[in-house]
Amino acid sequence: MKIAVFCGSSIGENPEFAQATRALGHYLATNGVDLVYGGGNVGLMGVVADAFLEKGAQVYGVIPEYLKDRELAHQGLTELKIVADMHERKAAMARMADAFVALPGGVGTLEEIFEAWTWAQLGYHAKPCAFYNVNGFYDKLCEMISNMTDSGFLKPHHAEMIIHTDNEAQLLSAIQSYQAPKLKWS
């Protein structure tokens, strides 16, 4: 199984972000999971890649040419794919991955996980999407998703597609047992 991880190209202000990222990487790798990620060697991106590598997992990076030097492309990966732009990066990661997980990060992290979730909702794939909620990082976002549902802009079964947990074992179990809901307009 390959899991795509979206996360910050910075480390964040709270040391728990890096600690939890490393622990999750170790846990997933020791449970037979390989990593697909943005290919950088900085921030939580570098932490998650190194954690998987430390446990002998395969790590596949996908990075746009434009970001190769800015995000300091990781040179120790199983495979580093250089692509033309962000659209190609996300498409390549989506093809390679069996699931998508957002760790703490910024706007790019949200954009990537929301696109993967949107594709799942529309039926372009039936892969699970998750927020790994380190130290309550995604609590407010989960409240916003509930508000979207309560306001009639998101069907409850599409809101329930999203896995959100701060527990490594629960995350992997939910990904492994995931069943996609019916399609948006079915």
Side-chain angles (χ1 to χ4, degrees), residues 39-76:
N41 193 32
V42 295
L44 295 183
M45 292 173 67
V47 172
V48 75
D50 289 342
F52 272 84
L53 290 167
E54 287 164 5
K55 296 297 181 179
Q58 303 293 301
V59 177
Y60 304 92
V62 183
I63 194 166
E65 179 68 39
Y66 177 77
L67 295 177
K68 185 175 68 170
D69 296 326
R70 287 168 183 79
E71 288 184 352
L72 303 171
H74 200 299
Q75 299 302 311

Short mmCIF file of all heavy atoms in Angstrom, two decimals, residues 39-76:
data_model
loop_
_atom_site.label_atom_id
_atom_site.label_comp_id
_atom_site.label_asym_id
_atom_site.label_seq_id
_atom_site.Cartn_x
_atom_site.Cartn_y
_atom_site.Cartn_z
N GLY A 39 8.15 15.34 -2.41
CA GLY A 39 9.54 15.27 -2.84
C GLY A 39 10.52 16.21 -2.17
O GLY A 39 11.71 16.17 -2.46
N GLY A 40 10.05 17.06 -1.24
CA GLY A 40 10.94 18.01 -0.59
C GLY A 40 11.72 17.42 0.57
O GLY A 40 11.36 16.39 1.13
N ASN A 41 12.79 18.11 0.93
CA ASN A 41 13.65 17.71 2.03
C ASN A 41 13.56 18.70 3.18
O ASN A 41 14.42 18.71 4.05
CB ASN A 41 15.10 17.59 1.54
CG ASN A 41 15.99 16.89 2.53
OD1 ASN A 41 15.55 16.01 3.26
ND2 ASN A 41 17.25 17.29 2.58
N VAL A 42 12.55 19.55 3.18
CA VAL A 42 12.42 20.59 4.21
C VAL A 42 11.11 20.42 4.95
O VAL A 42 10.17 19.77 4.47
CB VAL A 42 12.49 22.01 3.59
CG1 VAL A 42 13.86 22.26 2.99
CG2 VAL A 42 11.40 22.21 2.54
N GLY A 43 11.02 20.99 6.14
CA GLY A 43 9.80 20.99 6.92
C GLY A 43 9.31 19.60 7.23
O GLY A 43 10.08 18.64 7.31
N LEU A 44 8.00 19.49 7.42
CA LEU A 44 7.40 18.19 7.72
C LEU A 44 7.55 17.23 6.54
O LEU A 44 7.58 16.01 6.73
CB LEU A 44 5.94 18.35 8.11
CG LEU A 44 5.66 19.11 9.40
CD1 LEU A 44 4.16 19.12 9.70
CD2 LEU A 44 6.44 18.55 10.58
N MET A 45 7.69 17.78 5.33
CA MET A 45 7.92 16.92 4.17
C MET A 45 9.19 16.11 4.35
O MET A 45 9.21 14.89 4.12
CB MET A 45 8.01 17.76 2.89
CG MET A 45 6.72 18.42 2.49
SD MET A 45 6.92 19.55 1.08
CE MET A 45 7.32 18.40 -0.21
N GLY A 46 10.25 16.76 4.76
CA GLY A 46 11.52 16.06 4.98
C GLY A 46 11.43 15.10 6.15
O GLY A 46 11.99 14.00 6.10
N VAL A 47 10.73 15.51 7.20
CA VAL A 47 10.57 14.65 8.38
C VAL A 47 9.85 13.36 8.02
O VAL A 47 10.30 12.26 8.38
CB VAL A 47 9.81 15.39 9.51
CG1 VAL A 47 9.47 14.45 10.65
CG2 VAL A 47 10.62 16.57 10.03
N VAL A 48 8.74 13.45 7.28
CA VAL A 48 7.98 12.25 6.95
C VAL A 48 8.77 11.33 6.02
O VAL A 48 8.78 10.12 6.19
CB VAL A 48 6.56 12.58 6.41
CG1 VAL A 48 6.59 13.09 4.98
CG2 VAL A 48 5.65 11.38 6.55
N ALA A 49 9.46 11.90 5.05
CA ALA A 49 10.25 11.09 4.13
C ALA A 49 11.35 10.35 4.89
O ALA A 49 11.54 9.14 4.72
CB ALA A 49 10.85 11.95 3.03
N ASP A 50 12.06 11.07 5.74
CA ASP A 50 13.15 10.45 6.50
C ASP A 50 12.63 9.36 7.43
O ASP A 50 13.28 8.32 7.60
CB ASP A 50 13.91 11.51 7.29
CG ASP A 50 14.76 12.41 6.40
OD1 ASP A 50 15.04 12.03 5.24
OD2 ASP A 50 15.13 13.51 6.87
N ALA A 51 11.46 9.58 8.03
CA ALA A 51 10.89 8.59 8.94
C ALA A 51 10.59 7.28 8.21
O ALA A 51 10.91 6.19 8.70
CB ALA A 51 9.62 9.13 9.60
N PHE A 52 10.00 7.37 7.04
CA PHE A 52 9.73 6.17 6.25
C PHE A 52 11.04 5.49 5.84
O PHE A 52 11.17 4.27 5.93
CB PHE A 52 8.91 6.51 5.00
CG PHE A 52 7.42 6.52 5.21
CD1 PHE A 52 6.77 7.63 5.73
CD2 PHE A 52 6.67 5.41 4.86
CE1 PHE A 52 5.40 7.63 5.89
CE2 PHE A 52 5.28 5.39 5.02
CZ PHE A 52 4.65 6.51 5.55
N LEU A 53 12.00 6.28 5.39
CA LEU A 53 13.28 5.73 4.95
C LEU A 53 14.01 5.03 6.10
O LEU A 53 14.62 3.98 5.90
CB LEU A 53 14.16 6.82 4.35
CG LEU A 53 13.70 7.37 3.00
CD1 LEU A 53 14.44 8.64 2.65
CD2 LEU A 53 13.84 6.32 1.91
N GLU A 54 13.95 5.63 7.29
CA GLU A 54 14.62 5.04 8.47
C GLU A 54 14.11 3.64 8.77
O GLU A 54 14.83 2.81 9.32
CB GLU A 54 14.40 5.93 9.70
CG GLU A 54 15.19 7.21 9.67
CD GLU A 54 14.69 8.26 10.67
OE1 GLU A 54 13.78 7.96 11.49
OE2 GLU A 54 15.20 9.39 10.62
N LYS A 55 12.87 3.36 8.41
CA LYS A 55 12.27 2.05 8.67
C LYS A 55 12.27 1.15 7.44
O LYS A 55 11.64 0.10 7.43
CB LYS A 55 10.84 2.21 9.21
CG LYS A 55 10.79 2.90 10.57
CD LYS A 55 11.50 2.07 11.63
CE LYS A 55 11.44 2.74 12.98
NZ LYS A 55 12.09 1.95 14.02
N GLY A 56 12.99 1.56 6.40
CA GLY A 56 13.17 0.71 5.23
C GLY A 56 12.04 0.72 4.22
O GLY A 56 12.02 -0.13 3.32
N ALA A 57 11.12 1.65 4.33
CA ALA A 57 10.01 1.73 3.37
C ALA A 57 10.47 2.38 2.07
O ALA A 57 11.50 3.06 2.03
CB ALA A 57 8.85 2.52 3.97
N GLN A 58 9.68 2.20 1.04
CA GLN A 58 9.91 2.86 -0.24
C GLN A 58 9.30 4.26 -0.16
O GLN A 58 8.19 4.42 0.35
CB GLN A 58 9.26 2.08 -1.38
CG GLN A 58 9.72 0.63 -1.49
CD GLN A 58 11.17 0.53 -1.89
OE1 GLN A 58 11.57 1.02 -2.94
NE2 GLN A 58 11.96 -0.09 -1.03
N VAL A 59 10.02 5.24 -0.68
CA VAL A 59 9.55 6.63 -0.65
C VAL A 59 9.64 7.22 -2.05
O VAL A 59 10.71 7.27 -2.65
CB VAL A 59 10.35 7.48 0.34
CG1 VAL A 59 9.88 8.93 0.31
CG2 VAL A 59 10.26 6.90 1.75
N TYR A 60 8.46 7.64 -2.55
CA TYR A 60 8.35 8.19 -3.89
C TYR A 60 8.01 9.66 -3.81
O TYR A 60 6.94 10.02 -3.30
CB TYR A 60 7.26 7.44 -4.67
CG TYR A 60 7.51 5.96 -4.72
CD1 TYR A 60 6.97 5.11 -3.74
CD2 TYR A 60 8.32 5.40 -5.70
CE1 TYR A 60 7.22 3.75 -3.77
CE2 TYR A 60 8.58 4.04 -5.73
CZ TYR A 60 8.03 3.22 -4.76
OH TYR A 60 8.28 1.88 -4.77
N GLY A 61 8.89 10.51 -4.30
CA GLY A 61 8.66 11.95 -4.30
C GLY A 61 8.28 12.43 -5.68
O GLY A 61 8.78 11.92 -6.68
N VAL A 62 7.40 13.43 -5.72
CA VAL A 62 6.99 14.06 -6.97
C VAL A 62 7.09 15.56 -6.76
O VAL A 62 6.39 16.12 -5.92
CB VAL A 62 5.54 13.68 -7.37
CG1 VAL A 62 5.19 14.29 -8.72
CG2 VAL A 62 5.37 12.17 -7.39
N ILE A 63 7.96 16.21 -7.51
CA ILE A 63 8.19 17.64 -7.29
C ILE A 63 8.25 18.38 -8.63
O ILE A 63 8.86 17.91 -9.58
CB ILE A 63 9.48 17.86 -6.47
CG1 ILE A 63 9.58 19.28 -5.93
CG2 ILE A 63 10.72 17.48 -7.25
CD1 ILE A 63 10.63 19.44 -4.84
N PRO A 64 7.58 19.53 -8.71
CA PRO A 64 7.68 20.34 -9.93
C PRO A 64 9.08 20.92 -10.09
O PRO A 64 9.76 21.25 -9.10
CB PRO A 64 6.66 21.45 -9.72
CG PRO A 64 5.76 20.96 -8.64
CD PRO A 64 6.60 20.08 -7.78
N GLU A 65 9.49 21.07 -11.33
CA GLU A 65 10.80 21.65 -11.63
C GLU A 65 10.98 22.98 -10.89
O GLU A 65 12.02 23.24 -10.31
CB GLU A 65 10.92 21.86 -13.15
CG GLU A 65 12.24 22.48 -13.59
CD GLU A 65 13.43 21.57 -13.39
OE1 GLU A 65 13.30 20.36 -13.63
OE2 GLU A 65 14.50 22.07 -13.00
N TYR A 66 9.93 23.80 -10.89
CA TYR A 66 9.98 25.12 -10.25
C TYR A 66 10.31 25.04 -8.76
O TYR A 66 10.99 25.90 -8.22
CB TYR A 66 8.63 25.82 -10.45
CG TYR A 66 8.50 27.16 -9.78
CD1 TYR A 66 9.10 28.29 -10.34
CD2 TYR A 66 7.79 27.31 -8.60
CE1 TYR A 66 9.00 29.52 -9.73
CE2 TYR A 66 7.68 28.54 -7.98
CZ TYR A 66 8.28 29.65 -8.55
OH TYR A 66 8.18 30.87 -7.94
N LEU A 67 9.84 23.99 -8.08
CA LEU A 67 10.05 23.86 -6.65
C LEU A 67 11.26 22.99 -6.28
O LEU A 67 11.62 22.89 -5.12
CB LEU A 67 8.80 23.27 -5.98
CG LEU A 67 7.56 24.14 -6.02
CD1 LEU A 67 6.38 23.42 -5.38
CD2 LEU A 67 7.80 25.48 -5.34
N LYS A 68 11.86 22.37 -7.26
CA LYS A 68 12.97 21.44 -7.01
C LYS A 68 14.05 22.08 -6.13
O LYS A 68 14.52 21.46 -5.18
CB LYS A 68 13.56 20.95 -8.32
CG LYS A 68 14.63 19.89 -8.16
CD LYS A 68 15.10 19.38 -9.51
CE LYS A 68 15.84 20.47 -10.21
NZ LYS A 68 16.54 20.07 -11.41
N ASP A 69 14.43 23.30 -6.44
CA ASP A 69 15.47 23.98 -5.66
C ASP A 69 14.90 24.70 -4.44
O ASP A 69 15.53 24.75 -3.40
CB ASP A 69 16.22 24.97 -6.54
CG ASP A 69 16.98 24.26 -7.66
OD1 ASP A 69 17.44 23.12 -7.42
OD2 ASP A 69 17.07 24.83 -8.75
N ARG A 70 13.67 25.22 -4.53
CA ARG A 70 13.07 25.95 -3.41
C ARG A 70 12.71 25.04 -2.25
O ARG A 70 12.86 25.40 -1.10
CB ARG A 70 11.83 26.71 -3.89
CG ARG A 70 12.17 27.91 -4.73
CD ARG A 70 10.93 28.46 -5.43
NE ARG A 70 11.28 29.56 -6.28
CZ ARG A 70 11.81 29.42 -7.49
NH1 ARG A 70 12.07 28.24 -7.97
NH2 ARG A 70 12.09 30.48 -8.22
N GLU A 71 12.16 23.86 -2.54
CA GLU A 71 11.82 22.91 -1.49
C GLU A 71 12.95 21.92 -1.24
O GLU A 71 12.80 20.96 -0.51
CB GLU A 71 10.52 22.15 -1.85
CG GLU A 71 9.30 23.01 -1.75
CD GLU A 71 8.00 22.24 -2.01
OE1 GLU A 71 8.05 21.07 -2.41
OE2 GLU A 71 6.94 22.86 -1.81
N LEU A 72 14.09 22.19 -1.86
CA LEU A 72 15.27 21.34 -1.70
C LEU A 72 14.92 19.87 -1.87
O LEU A 72 14.77 19.12 -0.92
CB LEU A 72 15.91 21.59 -0.33
CG LEU A 72 16.32 23.03 -0.04
CD1 LEU A 72 16.72 23.18 1.41
CD2 LEU A 72 17.42 23.48 -0.96
N ALA A 73 14.77 19.49 -3.12
CA ALA A 73 14.39 18.11 -3.45
C ALA A 73 15.24 17.11 -2.68
O ALA A 73 16.45 17.21 -2.62
CB ALA A 73 14.51 17.89 -4.96
N HIS A 74 14.57 16.16 -2.08
CA HIS A 74 15.22 15.11 -1.28
C HIS A 74 16.00 14.20 -2.23
O HIS A 74 15.45 13.69 -3.20
CB HIS A 74 14.15 14.31 -0.53
CG HIS A 74 14.65 13.55 0.63
ND1 HIS A 74 15.60 12.57 0.53
CD2 HIS A 74 14.33 13.62 1.94
CE1 HIS A 74 15.85 12.05 1.72
NE2 HIS A 74 15.07 12.69 2.60
N GLN A 75 17.26 13.99 -1.94
CA GLN A 75 18.11 13.20 -2.82
C GLN A 75 18.22 11.73 -2.41
O GLN A 75 18.82 10.94 -3.14
CB GLN A 75 19.51 13.83 -2.89
CG GLN A 75 19.51 15.24 -3.45
CD GLN A 75 18.91 15.32 -4.84
OE1 GLN A 75 19.26 14.55 -5.73
NE2 GLN A 75 17.97 16.24 -5.02
N GLY A 76 17.64 11.34 -1.27
CA GLY A 76 17.80 9.98 -0.79
C GLY A 76 16.59 9.09 -0.97
O GLY A 76 16.46 8.08 -0.28
#
